[in-house]
Amino acid sequence: MYSINQIADIIKAGWLQQNNDAVIAHLLTDSRRLLFPADTLFFALNTGRRDGAAFIEELYSKGVRNFVVDPGYVSGNLFSEGNFLQVNNVLTALQQLTAHHRNQFNLPVIGITGSNGKTIVKEWLYQLLQSSHNIVRSPKSYNSQTGVPLSVWGIEAQHTLGIFEAGISLPGEMESLEKIIRPTIGVLTNIGTAHDEGFENTTQKKAEKCKLFSQVQAMICKEEFVCSNLPNDAYLFSWGYSDTATLHITSINKTSVQTIINAAYRQQPVKIIINFTDDAAIENAINCWCILLHLQTDNTIIAERMLQLQPVAMRLELKQGINNCAVINDSYSADINSLSIALDFLQQQQQHTKRTVILSDIVGSGKEPAILYNEVAAILQQKNINRLIGVGPQISQYSTAFSAIEQTVFFPSTKALTQHFHTLHFSHETILVKGARVFEFEQVIQLLEHKVHQTVLEINLTAITYNLKAYQQLLQPGTKMMAMVKASGYGSGSFEITNLLQFHKVDYLAVAYSDEGVELRKAGIRLPIMVMNAEEVSFETLVQHNLEPEIYSQGMLESFEAHLRQSGISHYPVHIKLDTGMKRLGFEAGDIGALCNILAGSSSFKVQTVFSHLAASDSPEHDAFTTEQAAVFSSCAEKIQAVLNYPVLRHIANTSAIHRHPGLQLDMVRLGIGLYGSDSNPAMQQQLKNVTTLKTTVAQVKKVKAGQTVGYSRKGVMQQDSLIATVRIGYADGYPRILSNGAGAMLVNGVPARVTGNVCMDMTMLDVTHIPNVKEGDTVIVFGEGLPVSQVAKHAQTIAYEILTGISQRVQRVYYEE
C-alpha cells in the first residue's frame, strides 16, 4: 500500500485538489471493473476515442475518492471530498508508479514475449512451479501498456517468483514495459505473423520485442530467435536441433495422444513426455523445459511435472443451460485475479436478474485463509452476486465471511455437490462455474448444460470487441457508433452480443423488427434501440419498450403520430430515413418539403437522427454514385435540421464507408458485418479477427469402393477406393445444399475435405481419403479460422450475410471470451 502523497511524489504529480492522505491498495483504469472504492486510485486515461475523465462522476458516486487526471481536467465543486493528482500523461504516470513498485522487490521475474504462446507458457510455468514457489503472474493475457502495470502491481512481499507476459503491436512500446517488468529471465516464444501490420518487417518486430531483455540475467529461446541486444554477462539458454544449442533436441516422437521429446543437456540424455501432440504445444513445452533446467530443477521432477501438464483454458464460455439458465464455464482455475475477470464477464450478462457463483477453494494464493475469503466475499458482494455455492473444505470453513450474500450453501467436495444437485433448483439465472482444476467441475458443467446435438456455432466475444475497437479507431473525434444487431446479430445471437456492446458503451443499437428490440429489453439492454422495420401493429409494443422507430414514409409518419396523440405522448424519439438512391425505403428529395411541414407543426416527435443508406460504398467503380448520394443526403438533412429547434444526428456511413469514405462519418456511423469479422476491403479484412466458428463432428467413417455411389440420387460417384466421413450437419442446420458434389469443403483435422454427394437434411458426407487417422468424434470446422465464412459464401455463390443468418436455431450457440 502507498499513501496518496507517496504516489504524488513517485509520479511527479501536481495537486489539483487535496482532501486527505488516503492509503491506496488498488489501481483502476476501467470504471466497469471497480471492486474496492475506498482504497482505489483511478487513472483517467484518454484513449482519443474515450476520455476516462467522463467516468469520474460515476466512480465518485460509488465511493472512489482518488483520481489521476491530465492537465486539461477541471474538477470544479462537484467532488469536494476527492483527491486529484494532475500529470502530463496519465498512462505514463501509471507506468511510473508500477515500475517503482516493481523495484521494491528483489525476486526473480520471468518476462515472456513473442508472437504466439505467451499465455500458454506463462500458465504452464505456473503449473510446473507453483509447488515450489509462491508465484505472482499476469491474469489471463494482461500484456498491454495498461495490462502489464496492473499485473505488476500485484507483487506482494510473500511472492518468491513473478511471471509476466508483454505484448506489443507498435514500435516503441516495449521500452516502457521493460521498465515495469524488469525481468531477470527472458523468454522469447517465437516470431510469427501476429501484429505484422504494426511493423516494417519481421526484423524490426523481433528487435522491438527483444528490448524486453535489455537487462536480463538469462534468456531462453529457440536458436533462431536469439536476440542481439543481451547484456554481455547474460546467460543464453537456447534450444534447437543442432548440437550447438544448450538443449539439443535429438528426436520428437508422436503417438495418438502423447509426444516424447528426447534431448541432450550438458552432454547427458534427457527426456520429457507431454500429453499433447500439436506443434505449438511441443514448442511451448520445450520453452518451459528450458526454464526448469535453468532453475536447476531435477530431471526426475521435470519429467513428472511435464507429464501432468493440463490444457490452459484460454476462454470463458457462455452456454445455454437447463431451466432457461445461462452458464459461464470457467472451471479450470481459481485465483483472485481470474475470479475478478470472470465476474466482469458475468456482469456483462443482463438477461437474468439472478446471479449465482459456484466457487471452489482458492489454492496457492499465499494469503492467510481468513484474509483471502474475506476479500473474495467483498468482491462477490461488490458484483451483486445473489447466490454463492461454495465447494471445498477451506471455503466451507470460512463460510461466515459470506454472510452478506443473499443465499449461500457449502459442500465439502464436488461429489457432495453433485449428489445434492437436485436440491439447488437452478432456474432463470446466470451461473458462473469457477473452480480449481483439482475439483473437476466438468461434472457440474455437464449437469447444468442444456443438451443439444454436436453441431455448435462458437462466437468469440473477444474478437467482436477487437473488431469494434478496430473501427472505432478510424472514427473522427466526436463521431458516435450505432451497432447493427438485426437478424439475431447476423446469426451470432442477440442479447449475448448486445450485452457486450452495452458493456463497451456503444451509442446506439439497431434491429430490424420490434420483437427483436423487445427481446433485448427483456434481456436487460438499456441502450437506445432503433427499429428499422416498425409496423403499425407494433406501435404499442414500441412505446411500451421504449424502442425508437425508423420513419420512412409520410403514411407511416401520420399513423405513428395518430397513435402518439391517442396515447397522450409527445416528443417521442424517431429516426427519419431518407432514400438517396438505394430505392428501398425512405423519403425522397421531393418529399422533404411536406415532411418538414409535418415535423415543424408537430410536438409528437423528437427526431433523434436523420439517415440514409449507401448502395455501393464498398465498390470503387461506384464512388461517383456514393458521392451523389452523400450530396442529396446533405441537402435534405440540412432542410430538416432548419425546421427543428434542437440538434439532430446525421448518419449515412455503413461498415465499408467508415474506412473507404471517412468524410461521410458525420455525427454517427453504422457498423454491421464488420463487427462480426467480415469486410469487403482486403486491407481492412486483415485487421479483423474471426468471430464465428461453425463446428460439427464425424458421426461415422466408411470405406467406399471405386464405382460405388454416396448419398441421395447417387450423385457422389467414387472414382477410386475412398474413405468417406459422415458429419453431423445438413441443410436443416443452414449448410447450403448448393455446396453438394465437391462445391463445398470442410476442415477435418485441419485439412480441407470436399463434400461428396448431395448435402442431406441433417448430414453431409466428406471425402477424407487423403487425411490420416480420421475417426468418429473428430471435430470438423465448417467455417472459421482457416476456412473463413466469406470463402464458404463464395463457394455457395452468395455472400457472408446469407451464410451467417442462415444458421438454424437448432444449432447451439456457444459464446466465449478469451
Side-chain angles (χ1 to χ4, degrees):
M1 292 186 180
Y2 296 80
S3 74
I4 194 72
N5 279 313
Q6 287 176 306
I7 291 175
D9 290 338
I10 293 166
I11 64 176
K12 298 178 174 58
W15 284 99
L16 180 64
Q17 179 178 305
Q18 184 172 12
N19 186 270
N20 55 54
D21 191 18
V23 174
I24 302 300
H26 301 92
L27 307 184
L28 183 69
T29 61
D30 187 333
S31 63
R32 298 162 298 190
R33 293 182 162 88
L34 176 66
L35 290 174
F36 303 104
D39 53 9
T40 287
L41 176 62
F42 177 64
F43 286 78
L45 297 170
N46 189 337
T47 63
R49 172 66 188 169
R50 182 164 287 128
D51 187 353
F55 303 97
I56 288 176
E57 183 174 358
E58 173 192 342
L59 288 169
Y60 190 86
S61 69
K62 294 179 179 178
V64 178
R65 292 294 181 267
N66 301 286
F67 305 90
V68 178
V69 296
D70 61 28
Y73 182 76
V74 179
S75 63
N77 299 318
L78 293 175
F79 315 115
S80 58
E81 297 177 5
N83 290 317
F84 285 82
L85 296 177
Q86 202 159 43
V87 294
N88 289 330
N89 186 292
V90 175
L91 176 59
T92 300
L94 171 67
Q95 295 172 341
Q96 287 173 337
L97 174 59
T98 50
H100 173 88
H101 181 68
R102 162 68 181 94
N103 287 332
Q104 307 311 301
F105 299 91
N106 184 23
L107 78 168
V109 169
I110 301 171
I112 306 169
T113 192
S115 298
N116 303 102
K118 297 184 292 294
T119 302
I120 298 293
V121 170
K122 179 198 68 188
E123 292 300 317
W124 275 0
L125 286 174
Y126 178 75
Q127 291 182 29
L128 292 164
L129 295 168
Q130 63 176 327
S131 61
S132 51
H133 292 82
N134 192 324
I135 300 172
V136 56
R137 71 194 195 280
S138 309
K140 295 291 184 179
S141 57
Y142 271 37
N143 59 30
S144 66
Q145 296 292 301
T146 54
V148 168
L150 296 177
S151 300
V152 169
W153 184 253
I155 300 176
E156 296 181 4
Q158 72 267 21
H159 293 127
T160 60
L161 177 67
I163 310 175
F164 302 107
E165 56 177 296
I168 59 171
S169 55
L170 293 170
E173 292 183 333
M174 190 61 87
E175 287 96 335
S176 59
L177 299 188
E178 190 279 330
K179 292 175 184 176
I180 300 167
I181 298 174
R182 214 190 77 200
T184 57
I185 301 172
V187 181
L188 181 58
T189 56
N190 58 46
I191 297 293
T193 58
H195 300 295
D196 268 358
E197 66 276 6
F199 301 91
E200 293 177 3
N201 49 46
T202 302
T203 301
Q204 184 196 33
K205 181 166 65 174
K206 178 185 173 184
E208 291 293 325
K209 289 183 180 293
C210 284
K211 289 178 180 178
L212 179 63
F213 311 128
S214 61
Q215 299 184 69
V216 294
Q217 298 168 13
M219 180 188 174
I220 283 87
C221 66
K222 196 174 182 180
E223 276 185 307
E224 63 200 78
F225 300 136
V226 172
C227 294
S228 61
N229 67 323
L230 299 178
N232 292 331
D233 58 347
Y235 178 70
L236 175 62
F237 194 124
S238 65
W239 68 269
Y241 303 94
S242 71
D243 55 11
T244 59
T246 313
L247 181 68
H248 173 206
I249 307 299
T250 55
S251 68
I252 295 178
N253 302 306
K254 299 180 182 180
T255 69
S256 59
V257 294
Q258 288 184 328
T259 300
I260 304 166
I261 308 172
N262 289 286
Y265 177 63
R266 294 181 175 175
Q267 301 180 333
Q268 296 295 319
V270 288
K271 180 178 75 172
I272 61 169
I273 301 173
I274 57 173
N275 293 317
F276 302 88
T277 59
D278 61 286
D279 292 340
I282 292 168
E283 288 206 355
N284 292 333
I286 294 173
N287 278 316
C288 292
W289 188 10
C290 293
I291 294 168
L292 267 65
L293 288 170
H294 176 67
L295 294 176
Q296 301 181 355
T297 311
D298 184 82
N299 286 326
T300 304
I301 295 175
I302 293 175
E304 290 175 356
R305 294 180 183 176
M306 283 288 180
L307 194 55
Q308 295 170 7
L309 278 180
Q310 298 292 324
V312 176
M314 297 291 288
R315 64 193 209 181
L316 293 161
E317 287 187 343
L318 174 65
K319 297 183 178 182
Q320 183 181 358
I322 59 174
N323 304 326
N324 198 34
C325 291
V327 179
I328 299 172
N329 181 8
D330 193 20
S331 58
Y332 300 97
S333 65
D335 57 73
I336 286 287
N337 286 330
S338 65
L339 174 62
S340 296
I341 293 170
L343 288 169
D344 287 338
F345 186 54
L346 171 62
Q347 201 167 33
Q348 290 178 22
Q349 312 310 316
Q350 301 290 323
Q351 58 266 42
H352 300 299
T353 56
K354 185 177 180 180
R355 295 171 177 171
T356 294
V357 172
I358 301 177
L359 180 65
S360 77
D361 285 352
I362 292 179
V363 296
S365 73
K367 295 185 177 182
E368 290 293 327
I371 296 172
L372 171 66
Y373 289 105
N374 276 311
E375 187 175 342
V376 171
I379 293 172
L380 296 177
Q381 190 176 357
Q382 178 70 26
K383 295 296 184 180
N384 298 316
I385 300 306
N386 304 100
R387 175 163 63 156
L388 169 66
I389 299 171
V391 180
Q394 196 174 72
I395 195 172
S396 299
Q397 180 182 350
Y398 292 93
S399 60
T400 54
F402 303 94
S403 58
I405 295 175
E406 185 180 334
Q407 298 177 33
T408 59
V409 60
F410 296 88
F411 298 98
S413 65
T414 304
K415 182 179 180 180
L417 167 60
T418 56
Q419 289 174 340
H420 292 85
F421 184 83
H422 65 283
T423 68
L424 297 173
H425 306 298
F426 295 103
S427 179
H428 294 80
E429 57 194 291
T430 303
I431 307 161
L432 169 62
V433 182
K434 178 71 176 162
R437 191 179 295 274
V438 294
F439 283 86
E440 298 179 342
F441 271 5
E442 295 90 344
Q443 304 169 50
V444 181
I445 291 293
Q446 289 176 3
L447 293 172
L448 288 169
E449 274 188 19
H450 179 68
K451 304 302 185 290
V452 293
H453 81 102
Q454 295 177 44
T455 300
V456 299
L457 183 67
E458 294 185 342
I459 296 95
N460 184 339
L461 298 178
T462 304
I464 288 182
T465 301
Y466 182 92
N467 296 340
L468 173 67
K469 292 181 178 179
Y471 285 99
Q472 284 179 330
Q473 289 171 1
L474 300 174
L475 298 184
Q476 296 162 9
T479 301
K480 298 180 182 294
M481 176 77 78
M482 175 182 282
M484 311 300 289
V485 293
K486 60 183 181 177
S488 189
Y490 292 71
S492 298
S494 55
F495 56 77
E496 298 89 353
I497 302 297
T498 51
N499 274 326
L500 179 73
L501 297 173
Q502 179 170 265
F503 185 76
H504 287 287
K505 301 185 184 297
V506 300
D507 302 287
Y508 251 98
L509 301 173
V511 297
Y513 294 99
S514 301
D515 55 355
E516 293 179 319
V518 170
E519 289 303 310
L520 296 184
R521 289 288 184 243
K522 288 181 178 178
I525 301 302
R526 302 176 300 278
L527 288 172
I529 300 173
M530 181 176 79
V531 179
M532 304 183 75
N533 298 301
E535 301 165 294
E536 190 168 347
V537 294
S538 68
F539 285 167
E540 180 58 36
T541 300
L542 282 169
V543 174
Q544 184 179 352
H545 292 91
N546 192 26
L547 304 173
E548 304 175 9
E550 165 190 315
I551 305 294
Y552 52 80
S553 70
Q554 184 167 330
M556 184 183 184
L557 187 71
E558 292 171 348
S559 296
F560 192 50
E561 182 176 33
H563 177 82
L564 293 174
R565 284 179 176 173
Q566 184 178 357
S567 303
I569 296 172
S570 60
H571 305 295
Y572 194 84
V574 297
H575 301 261
I576 303 297
K577 173 71 175 289
L578 305 181
D579 183 357
T580 58
M582 182 79 168
K583 300 305 178 187
R584 188 170 61 179
L585 294 175
F587 294 92
E588 296 189 339
D591 304 325
I592 300 302
L595 170 64
C596 287
N597 289 334
I598 295 174
L599 294 177
S602 174
S603 61
S604 298
F605 308 115
K606 168 69 163 56
V607 179
Q608 298 291 92
T609 76
V610 175
F611 73 104
S612 188
H613 194 80
L614 297 172
S617 64
D618 58 339
S619 304
E621 65 268 27
H622 297 302
D623 281 353
F625 186 75
T626 297
T627 301
E628 193 177 307
Q629 279 193 272
V632 173
F633 175 72
S634 179
S635 174
C636 294
E638 285 178 8
K639 292 175 182 176
I640 294 171
Q641 179 65 82
V643 302
L644 300 173
N645 59 3
Y646 51 84
V648 175
L649 299 177
R650 301 160 302 146
H651 52 107
I652 192 172
N654 53 6
T655 294
S656 295
I658 291 173
H659 55 86
R660 288 206 68 247
H661 303 281
L664 300 183
Q665 291 180 6
L666 305 179
D667 302 311
M668 185 158 65
V669 298
R670 300 189 303 276
L671 180 59
I673 193 70
L675 186 65
Y676 306 94
S678 183
D679 195 293
S680 58
N681 182 283
M684 191 67 204
Q685 181 65 56
Q686 286 187 349
Q687 298 181 43
L688 303 180
K689 289 192 174 182
N690 178 69
V691 169
T692 51
T693 300
L694 182 59
K695 289 182 176 180
T696 188
T697 57
V698 174
Q700 191 175 29
V701 181
K702 285 182 178 290
K703 294 179 179 178
V704 181
K705 294 186 177 299
Q708 292 184 322
T709 60
V710 173
Y712 284 118
S713 303
R714 306 190 66 198
K715 292 292 185 181
V717 182
M718 295 297 98
Q719 302 301 313
Q720 59 183 15
D721 290 355
S722 303
L723 199 64
I724 302 299
T726 300
V727 299
R728 296 178 170 94
I729 190 171
Y731 57 76
D733 300 295
Y735 192 68
R737 196 169 183 270
I738 195 174
L739 294 174
S740 301
N741 302 305
M746 303 179 196
L747 296 181
V748 181
N749 296 336
V751 180
R754 285 284 172 190
V755 174
T756 298
N758 284 330
V759 174
C760 308
M761 180 180 289
D762 309 301
M763 297 284 179
T764 299
M765 286 70 75
L766 305 175
D767 187 342
V768 296
T769 309
H770 59 297
I771 305 174
N773 302 321
V774 178
K775 59 186 182 301
E776 294 179 10
D778 280 356
T779 297
V780 177
I781 304 297
V782 183
F783 60 73
E785 201 71 47
L787 182 58
V789 66
S790 58
Q791 186 64 46
V792 176
K794 184 178 180 180
H795 291 159
Q797 303 173 37
T798 184
I799 57 177
Y801 293 79
E802 185 174 348
I803 299 296
L804 289 172
T805 58
I807 303 302
S808 167
Q809 287 304 307
R810 81 175 185 179
V811 174
Q812 183 190 23
R813 271 69 171 168
V814 176
Y815 302 87
Y816 67 93
E817 192 167 88
E818 293 177 326

